[in-house]
Amino acid sequence: MAEMKTAAYICSGCELGDKLDVAQLTKIAQKEGKMALVREHAFLCNEEGVQMIRDDIEKEAVTHICIAACSRRAKTEAFNFPTVAMSRANLREGVIWVIAEGEQHDEVRQEMANDYVRMGCAEIKKMILPQGNPNHAHNKRLLVVGGGMSGMTSALEAAEAGYDIVIVEKEAQLGGWAAKLWKRVPFKQPFAEPQDTGLTELAAKVSAHPRITVHLSSTVAETSGAPGRFSVQVKGAAGITTEEVGGIVQATGFTTYDLNKLPELGGGKANVVDQAGLEALARSANGATIKRADGKEVKSVVFVQCAGQRDETGTHLAYCSGHCCATSVKQAMYFKDANPQVDTVVMFTDLRLPGMGEDFYRSAQQKGVIFTKGKASAVEASGDGCEVKFRDLILDEDTSLNADLVVLATGQVPNAGVNLEAWNPIVTAAEGGSDEAKQQKIEMQKTSVLNLNYRQGPDMPQLKQGFADSHFICFPYETRRTGIYAAGPVRRPMDMLQATEDATGAALKAIQAVENASIGRAAHPRSGDLSFPTARLEGCTQCKRCTVECPFGAIDEDERRFPVFNESRCRRCGTCMGACPVRVISFENYSVDTVGMQIKAVDMPDEFSERPRILILACENDAYPALDMAGLQHHLYSAFVRAIPVRCLGSVNTIWITDALNSGYDGVMLMGCKHGDNYQCHFVKGSELANYRMSKIDDTLKQLGLEKERVITHEVAITDNARVAKLINEYVEKINEIGMSPMKGFN
Amino acid sequence: MTVQNQQAVARYRNDFLREVEERVEDGEWVKMCMQCGVCAGSCPLGNAWQHTPQKLFMMIRAGKREEVLTSDAMWMCTSCYNCIVRCPRKLPITHIMHGLANYAHRLNIAPKGQPTREVAKLFWNNLAKTGRVNELKFSLAMYFKDGFVQGIKNAMAMQSVGLGLVKAKRLNPMELFGGHKCKDTGSFNKMIAKAREIEDRKKGFTS
Ligand code: SF4
Ligand code: SF4
Ligand code: SF4
Ligand code: SF4
């Protein structure tokens, strides 16, 4: 590697020059920052300014630059120098836009800017230009597990985009659930009549596609590798075939909720079917009047919505499967279309018909389907049919209805494979020698879909209710296994139309993943990032914290229990770096040192100065932009804070906090995304882990003899612009209350 | 049970919704109600009634024939049209209200002595005789609808208003004797009879 040559560029545009003493900043960059080259410019992001930097890179062989101007999130196109390492000192959004105007603030404002320049210089000296993942692989084929509506759509979409596809389907034919339907809910104008599923044509198209290979009656026996180089053992009737692929779409769909679990609603009794059962009856009727299993023509039918769903007692499914209202509307039409004299009642508590479902609902009403707002309490055999007892929620009375047939609208149960939360303790017990646990593990493994040989278990992590975890709010297609994307009802309950969209989305994400992997770049959300974590294994104590805490299962273990990083599976969140107690994990451009040196670079006023210093570690995805935006909207905050962006709160190593407190900071604020079931953390578990680690920081504080308020954590959303300023100001007040840190001046 | 009512029950058995669809003005709209309750919340008088429009429509679908037709709710509708304006399903609720009232009246099972119904009857009888509304006779009929003694009391109470109207030439006491008529009362009566015949045919009262 070429010799490091540093340079700092200080901009005086955007009023920086009016509000700050730029000459002083320059001096600091030279004297304290020890930058080999320091230049001022009146308009750094314009062509001339940028050209000046380019010239230095070319002619002066500058390799590391610190730009002291606006936020790292601004002017990224101008300040784009891919051949050098770069840090940014945020003087605009971070200082002059948030610190009150007026002479009386000149001094603290300047102090703040000085510190940011010191920090930028300290950081850049520890950075290395990322070289990209050396272990990248180029396989761009995609595996699609599941050949139903979602799977076939994914396969076809990706094949049409020019990628080779392997489909593994456990049944003997393609089609999945959709193939078992008589008709589907309309997805085209005028949304009034049930439509053909089009499944036969779709399956034919998939089978005939030159880019698609289909394995029927097959399952996945083992998956190993990483994006760009997955190796998949496909188990079929004829034995095992190995398929090499670059990415995977898991479209394994759902199973219907077990009717036998609903005896109170007649589940398991004669003349009571679920929606799947009704589809079967409709298929055999083939457009004529629908007959029951005993051959009797159905003259009256009651659909009981939400059967075993939206259950608040904890016995059945807690969620709404979303499609079943429209499905019942469709099925009621099966009866009305064959014979308008059939009495059809749909019993609902709320009718949920998303999309164009409202038109479909109206069309059913036109056909004379009766909608009754009521809650069924029991379905009992009565005469030749059933009696549905229910509470009429409009007329507010207990009453009943008789019908030849009752259809229960039961929910979708995802086929997501092994639940890792249950799996991991069993593995630990099995490794501890328990025979029972070993047996349990074998049984559990049989239910796996992907059979990943990952350290963290054989399937994708699940969130709630057994659905594959994905970032529900912002990035629904992203799962927690890089290169593997969930599509369709395995990700969340949904109808066919939504499943098609979902499948298309997942196919695109899989394509993006293989493309990124083939050039050694990170996938979402640091898409394009070339840095990757490495560990100095000679220092590793084999504590397993990194392998267990990585939210994406990217780290395996070798025979000696040392961590093995799979860079292409890694999302570059830095959670492993935050976890490592001996701090041997780092990225080229982000490490314990790049942040640690910034913390130490701050000039610490003494205990009697009445100028506290508060460190903010802000998640770069939400909290740091919120801080920037606070600046943009001129929500003023205290000049005593020093903010450092971090990749994720999960990457915060507690050493930063102890170092900060030891070197005299009066308080530390951590700002990250919401965690828990409705998390917004871009790395899923990062903020949760940080929160957990911080709950343990109290002991450290006690040892240091410090108040526990000296470290606080806040959940900050990207929209919290005003709030973030308020939080800072409140905290500064709090620190003033408890007083300056007694740790100042010891080092 | 009145004869008309017996015939209706025999004809529609338990299918009250179909009965309403065929025999009540705008009754075919009832099935389109989605039970949102907006009408019930919009009706300025709704909470003073026995049943809101929303409930009436649900009762029709639930086959509660007796309860619907004997309800006095639809008689209370003031035709303010609030509900029609707001119904997301565009049901002509006000018209259905009056349709239901009219149907219950025809079957003669509407609540006896229901004030709106009584006033409507007096008005119709007054009008149908001559083709003109005889205001004097109509007012007197109103005064005396609850009996002779009450009628005298009502008339005394309104005395000064009445005299005032006479003085202002807004009320002709001679109207009490015969009163003015339309030009051709015979044809007028025929016209009304024809209209009734058409309606009866349309609504299936005559086979
Ligand atoms: S914790 Fe984050 S940075 Fe570390 S290996 Fe896992 S995904 Fe990569
Ligand atoms: S967290 Fe650090 S010490 Fe522990 S296994 Fe990982 S690299 Fe080794
Ligand atoms: S507003 Fe219309 S749709 Fe809603 S309850 Fe009333 S009649 Fe039904
Ligand atoms: S029109 Fe009649 S039913 Fe409708 S809101 Fe007015 S009073 Fe109520």
Side-chain angles (χ1 to χ4, degrees), chain B residues 38-46 49 52-53 73-74 76-85 93-95 97-98:
Chain B
V38 164
C39 54
S42 306
C43 180
L45 299 164
W49 301 0
T52 61
M74 52 274 195
M76 304 292 282
C77 171
T78 60
S79 310
C80 70
Y81 281 72
N82 247 351
C83 51
I84 293 200
V85 168
I93 304 166
T94 314
H95 306 173
M97 289 286 134
H98 300 323

Side-chain angles (χ1 to χ4, degrees), chain A residues 330-342:
Chain A
K330 173 192 75 174
Q331 295 186 338
M333 285 193 189
Y334 291 172
F335 289 97
K336 284 287 184 193
D337 287 347
N339 174 10
Q341 297 309 317
V342 177

Side-chain angles (χ1 to χ4, degrees), chain A residues 533 550-552 554-555 565 570-576 587:
Chain A
C550 169
F552 304 100
I555 316 173
F565 286 83
C570 167
R571 302 277 179 90
R572 282 72 168 169
C573 62
T575 298
C576 49
F587 298 78

Side-chain angles (χ1 to χ4, degrees), chain A residues 43 217 261 468 524 597 627 740:
Chain A
F43 193 174
S217 309
K261 289 186 183 160
H524 169 93
M597 293 318 274
L627 282 166
M740 303 285 272

Side-chain angles (χ1 to χ4, degrees), chain A residues 309-364:
Chain A
Q309 302 195 69
R310 301 172 66 202
D311 177 52
E312 285 166 2
T313 65
T315 330
H316 303 299
L317 303 180
Y319 52 88
C320 158
S321 288
H323 77 93
C324 11
C325 280
T327 300
S328 286
V329 169
K330 173 192 75 174
Q331 295 186 338
M333 285 193 189
Y334 291 172
F335 289 97
K336 284 287 184 193
D337 287 347
N339 174 10
Q341 297 309 317
V342 177
D343 280 334
T344 51
V345 174
V346 176
M347 190 176 293
F348 66 96
T349 51
D350 326 83
L351 215 51
R352 296 181 172 181
L353 293 144
M356 300 308 288
E358 188 66 21
D359 286 348
F360 195 40
Y361 172 23
R362 223 173 285 144
S363 161

Side-chain angles (χ1 to χ4, degrees), chain A residues 243-561:
Chain A
E243 293 283 7
E244 305 290 342
V245 296
I248 300 173
V249 172
Q250 181 178 338
T252 41
F254 67 99
T255 314
T256 51
Y257 190 66
D258 186 1
L259 255 191
N260 294 316
K261 289 186 183 160
L262 295 165
E264 66 278 14
L265 292 179
K269 290 203 193 103
N271 308 326
V272 178
V273 295
D274 60 7
Q275 291 181 325
L278 201 264
E279 291 295 338
L281 295 179
R283 279 177 73 86
S284 49
N286 200 20
T289 15
I290 293 173
K291 296 194 177 102
R292 300 194 307 211
D294 63 4
K296 185 184 178 252
E297 249 182 42
V298 179
K299 292 262 166 54
S300 54
V301 54
V302 173
F303 293 85
V304 176
Q305 296 310 108
C306 310
Q309 302 195 69
R310 301 172 66 202
D311 177 52
E312 285 166 2
T313 65
T315 330
H316 303 299
L317 303 180
Y319 52 88
C320 158
S321 288
H323 77 93
C324 11
C325 280
T327 300
S328 286
V329 169
K330 173 192 75 174
Q331 295 186 338
M333 285 193 189
Y334 291 172
F335 289 97
K336 284 287 184 193
D337 287 347
N339 174 10
Q341 297 309 317
V342 177
D343 280 334
T344 51
V345 174
V346 176
M347 190 176 293
F348 66 96
T349 51
D350 326 83
L351 215 51
R352 296 181 172 181
L353 293 144
M356 300 308 288
E358 188 66 21
D359 286 348
F360 195 40
Y361 172 23
R362 223 173 285 144
S363 161
Q365 286 181 302
Q366 295 283 15
K367 289 178 194 248
V369 177
I370 301 281
F371 291 85
T372 293
K373 191 169 166 82
K375 192 158 178 55
S377 52
V379 177
E380 286 160 13
S382 157
D384 182 35
C386 301
E387 182 184 16
V388 182
K389 298 197 162 143
F390 69 102
R391 173 116 199 128
D392 189 314
L393 295 171
I394 298 294
L395 304 181
D396 210 17
E397 60 184 15
D398 292 314
T399 172
S400 73
L401 265 175
N402 285 302
D404 294 338
L405 184 72
V406 170
V407 183
L408 301 183
T410 59
Q412 295 179 325
V413 181
N415 293 334
V418 173
N419 177 1
L420 302 187
E421 307 245 327
W423 166 265
N424 282 316
I426 288 172
V427 171
T428 315
E431 282 169 358
S434 156
D435 286 332
E436 194 196 344
K438 278 181 196 157
Q439 196 51 43
Q440 270 178 308
K441 186 180 159 194
I442 293 168
E443 285 307 313
M444 236 177 178
Q445 184 95 47
K446 285 186 195 154
T447 66
S448 173
V449 173
L450 295 175
N451 283 299
L452 294 162
N453 70 351
Y454 288 14
R455 160 72 176 80
Q456 286 190 17
D459 283 299
M460 271 194 269
Q462 299 168 5
L463 180 59
K464 276 194 255 186
Q465 324 285 358
F467 290 92
D469 191 0
S470 72
H471 195 293
F472 207 87
I473 299 168
C474 309
F475 323 104
Y477 303 119
E478 293 297 343
T479 66
R480 286 179 52 195
R481 292 296 176 258
T482 312
I484 309 178
Y485 296 89
V490 70
R491 191 176 70 72
R492 68 166 180 80
M494 62 177 80
D495 63 21
M496 259 164 97
L497 183 60
Q498 289 165 336
T500 5
E501 276 169 20
D502 212 53
T504 312
L508 285 169
K509 289 311 288 188
I511 289 171
Q512 192 185 39
V514 293
E515 290 297 344
N516 267 327
S518 75
I519 41 178
R521 302 200 306 195
H524 169 93
R526 296 188 58 82
S527 186
D529 186 1
L530 285 167
S531 73
F532 56 93
T534 49
R536 260 191 311 107
L537 290 186
E538 55 280 19
C540 168
T541 60
Q542 295 135 299
C543 73
K544 298 205 277 191
R545 290 255 293 266
C546 57
T547 51
V548 170
E549 290 190 4
C550 169
F552 304 100
I555 316 173
D556 291 328
E557 274 157 28
D558 68 10
E559 326 66 69
R560 295 164 308 150
R561 309 232 143 199

Side-chain angles (χ1 to χ4, degrees), chain A residues 606-642:
Chain A
D606 69 27
E607 204 178 334
F608 311 102
S609 66
E610 285 179 9
R611 286 178 193 172
R613 287 292 175 256
I614 289 159
L615 174 67
I616 299 179
L617 296 171
C619 157
E620 67 177 14
N621 300 296
D622 270 27
Y624 200 72
L627 282 166
D628 272 358
M629 248 116 58
L632 201 64
Q633 297 172 358
H634 295 270
H635 297 295
L636 303 185
Y637 58 76
S638 163
F640 299 145
V641 295
R642 303 291 180 262

